[in-house]
Amino acid sequence: MTKALETDRGRRLATRAVHGGIVADPLAGAVMPPIYQTSTYVQAGLGRHRGYEYARTHNPTREALERSVAGLEGGRHGFAFASGLAAADATMKLLSAGDHVVCGENVYGGTHRQMTHIWARLGLAFTFVDGGDLDAVRSAVQPQTRMIFAETPTNPMMRLCDLEATAEIARAAGARLVVDNTFATPCFQRPLELGADVVLHSTTKYLNGHSDMVGGMLVTSDDDLATRLAFLQNSSGGVPGPFDCWLALRGVKTLPLRMRAHDANGRRIAEWLTRHPRARQVYYPGLPSHPQHDLACRQMSGFGGMISVELGDEAYARLVVERTKVFALAESLGGVESLIGHPASMTHASVPPDLRRKMGLTNSLIRLSVGIEDPEDLIEDLDQALSGN
Ligand SMILES: *Cc1c(COP(=O)(O)O)cnc(C)c1O
């Protein structure tokens, strides 16, 4: 662990978001870490350098982001990747052919596609279960199980996985627990504190928060895992460029502020939707009607801005997502601007239809990523989009 991370430890989240991982700039005292747009570094003599030889291996801007996010998750080591899926790819490379993974069936569609189309072909075995059903997770464990991969809340069904109990199952099995914390962010949920070994982020989403870059992160407190992840990051080479790291670092500084606004708007709109006659079902962990609301209150300190709504009719659902004016019809989530989408044909099109049906992801489900605009405008927009046929 670096000295900057040691200093951060005693500080609270909003302070860490602003100052975490930032070290004094020796040249000019720049408050914001400079964008080190360089591929290589001059060496004073053979074998004599300042710890920087080549930018795939080390880059100061990337390291500032890695320290910042590691600190927010309460971890000792952070690793930045070119995308969330490149981060997922690195976790799979901790395993070897013949190893088995228990994975939540409702994980991000791209994660599921990578596992089933790439890693299964290369010799890893997967069992997909409802991560919210601890008995199902427990009975899926085999002697070869080396990893449990969880995402909570899930996209788009907003199902929760009990992280403390799942970490217990992983420990008993001698397996690692990897948690995709993209939806909750360290503002509302810190998996490492609940027993997870590795936390994964698509920094593309809330961490950066401004829909202007693609990136991923892994955080761990395990020194041995960190050594292996550093090796994989450098050897597979899926690293982000310094400009994208700088954008994400700038985004992270306002994460607590933004998450408070996403959460307030999310709660307000979810509650409003439960009273709307056209919304058959509203999926949001902050609603008392959510089947895992108690777990949500125990495990999370906020619920964020992701809401899914069952509209009961596919043609109507398609019309609604095309009728909003403030909510933009787009893939992705977690930015300051509100987005609306149709998971079955957009984000989750790569998930096989029978699996989609099994998890309740119908063709008439829509998903909202509630931004930080004025909630009155968002509600008016949804109201006009939901009216008519
Ligand atoms: C977007 C997303 C990913 C993949 O991240 P990319 O940055 O798009 O590669 C993984 N998990 C979750 C929950 C996501 O929303």
Side-chain angles (χ1 to χ4, degrees):
M1 178 155 52
T2 64
K3 197 159 158 291
L5 267 176
E6 295 280 10
T7 313
D8 281 350
R9 290 237 132 180
R11 295 180 175 155
R12 290 158 187 84
L13 197 84
T15 313
R16 277 189 270 152
V18 174
H19 297 285
I22 308 293
V23 291
D25 162 40
L27 183 67
V31 165
M32 189 64 186
I35 303 165
Y36 283 86
Q37 194 73 42
T38 187
S39 61
T40 190
Y41 311 87
V42 175
Q43 306 194 7
L46 280 179
R48 284 195 291 129
H49 54 77
R50 306 183 201 185
Y52 297 93
E53 296 167 87
Y54 186 61
R56 174 167 23 78
T57 322
H58 295 291
N59 178 284
T61 318
R62 190 174 93 210
E63 288 168 351
L65 173 67
E66 292 172 336
R67 287 192 299 266
S68 165
V69 178
L72 288 182
E73 286 288 359
R76 292 163 62 87
H77 312 278
F79 301 94
F81 291 87
S83 68
L85 285 184
D89 177 281
T91 65
M92 292 295 117
K93 287 173 179 162
L94 291 166
L95 303 169
S96 301
D99 288 350
H100 174 255
V101 180
V102 177
C103 182
E105 64 189 3
N106 193 191
V107 291
Y108 177 72
T111 306
H112 184 270
R113 179 179 57 196
Q114 184 185 102
M115 288 172 171
T116 53
H117 285 65
I118 301 176
W119 296 112
R121 182 167 53 76
L122 295 174
L124 298 182
F126 296 90
T127 304
F128 293 95
V129 297
D130 174 359
D133 179 350
L134 291 170
D135 288 333
V137 175
R138 213 173 280 117
S139 26
V141 170
Q142 304 174 6
Q144 297 78 25
T145 303
R146 296 285 171 271
M147 185 179 286
I148 299 181
F149 193 105
E151 191 178 308
T152 180
T154 62
N155 175 14
M157 300 314 297
M158 308 307 290
R159 286 280 289 169
L160 266 50
C161 167
D162 183 332
L163 292 178
E164 216 163 5
T166 306
E168 200 61 58
I169 296 172
R171 232 185 337 269
R176 300 293 196 173
L177 175 61
V178 177
V179 177
D180 185 333
N181 202 29
T182 299
F183 268 38
T185 83
C187 288
F188 296 148
Q189 173 174 283
R190 284 184 295 282
L192 295 179
E193 293 172 4
L194 300 171
D197 297 289
V198 179
V199 168
L200 183 150
H201 277 282
S202 168
T203 49
T204 316
K205 316 294 168 53
Y206 285 112
L207 288 193
N208 175 61
H210 294 75
S211 308
D212 51 14
M213 54 76 73
V214 170
M217 274 293 300
L218 295 177
V219 177
T220 184
S221 283
D222 182 307
D223 295 343
D224 171 55
L225 275 180
T227 305
R228 294 168 64 200
L229 289 172
F231 176 82
L232 290 167
Q233 183 192 40
N234 184 48
S235 304
S236 284
V239 293
F243 183 59
D244 283 349
C245 292
W246 182 86
L247 282 171
L249 188 61
R250 182 166 78 159
V252 162
K253 285 168 187 282
T254 56
L255 181 70
L257 209 58
R258 285 185 285 109
M259 290 314 291
R260 214 177 303 145
H262 285 296
D263 186 56
N265 283 357
R267 290 179 199 228
R268 172 97 189 269
I269 289 171
E271 154 66 21
W272 177 81
L273 281 165
T274 59
R275 284 181 273 110
H276 197 285
R278 301 302 298 266
R280 296 273 180 91
Q281 184 147 10
V282 183
Y283 300 95
Y284 185 71
L287 290 172
S289 60
H290 189 285
Q292 296 163 299
H293 182 62
D294 289 347
L295 173 61
C297 292
R298 222 177 332 127
Q299 182 165 283
M300 307 171 75
S301 56
F303 309 111
M306 297 305 299
I307 305 170
S308 291
V309 190
E310 176 55 55
L311 295 178
D313 180 85
E314 179 174 357
Y316 175 59
R318 287 176 172 270
L319 274 179
V320 169
V321 300
E322 289 183 351
R323 273 202 299 237
T324 53
K325 297 188 170 73
V326 183
F327 281 85
L329 174 59
E331 306 238 356
S332 199
L333 61 104
V336 290
E337 61 288 304
S338 292
L339 301 180
I340 192 165
H342 180 247
S345 69
M346 295 170 70
T347 47
H348 288 68
S350 67
V351 178
D354 51 333
L355 186 55
R356 290 207 300 262
R357 260 191 303 277
K358 182 167 174 256
M359 62 171 106
L361 198 172
T362 65
N363 289 344
S364 45
L365 186 87
I366 63 166
R367 191 191 74 179
L368 308 176
S369 172
V370 177
I372 65 168
E373 302 95 333
D374 191 302
E376 299 297 338
D377 287 323
L378 297 177
I379 286 173
E380 275 173 29
D381 190 35
L382 290 172
D383 202 27
Q384 64 80 22
L386 287 164
S387 62
N389 284 304

